[in-house]
């Protein structure tokens, strides 16, 4: 898919960013894209995640029509 190609393309930049500890937002964005693509969440669901949605064993996601997933 197109997203997989994007993630593969930016992976080398991610490695360099982590090594140099620069541009932390880039690392966060990468992992949000990766998480969203691997979990099958909609873009709006990933965009609406907050730290309070993350539990030790689960992540609470509110989907279309305010349904919990």
């Amino acid at each position: 898919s197109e997203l997989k190609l994007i993630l593969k393309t930016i992976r080398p930049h991610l490695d360099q960013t982590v090594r140099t500890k620069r541009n932390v937002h880039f690392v966060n964005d990468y992992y949000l894209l990766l998480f969203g693509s691997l979990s099958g969440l909609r873009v709006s669901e990933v965009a609406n995640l907050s730290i309070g949605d993350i539990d030790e064993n689960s992540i609470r996601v509110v989907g279309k029509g305010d349904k919990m997933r």
Side-chain angles (χ1 to χ4, degrees):
S1 83
E2 192 174 320
L3 181 58
K4 287 182 183 179
L5 178 61
I6 291 169
L7 292 172
K8 184 177 179 179
T9 303
I10 63 175
R11 179 65 196 211
H13 302 289
L14 175 72
D15 293 336
Q16 180 181 357
T17 299
V18 171
R19 279 194 306 275
T20 61
K21 297 180 182 177
R22 290 185 179 160
N23 200 355
V24 176
H25 296 290
F26 178 81
V27 176
N28 292 341
D29 293 347
Y30 174 83
Y31 282 107
L32 272 175
L33 285 170
L34 185 62
F35 169 73
S37 68
L38 294 176
S39 64
L41 295 177
R42 296 176 180 94
V43 172
S44 61
E45 293 169 341
V46 174
N48 290 325
L49 286 175
S50 69
I51 197 73
D53 296 328
I54 301 170
D55 193 352
E56 186 175 322
N57 298 312
S58 63
I59 298 175
R60 186 172 10 116
V61 177
V62 178
K64 245 176 152 177
D66 291 332
K67 295 179 183 173
M68 297 296 286
R69 294 195 343 140

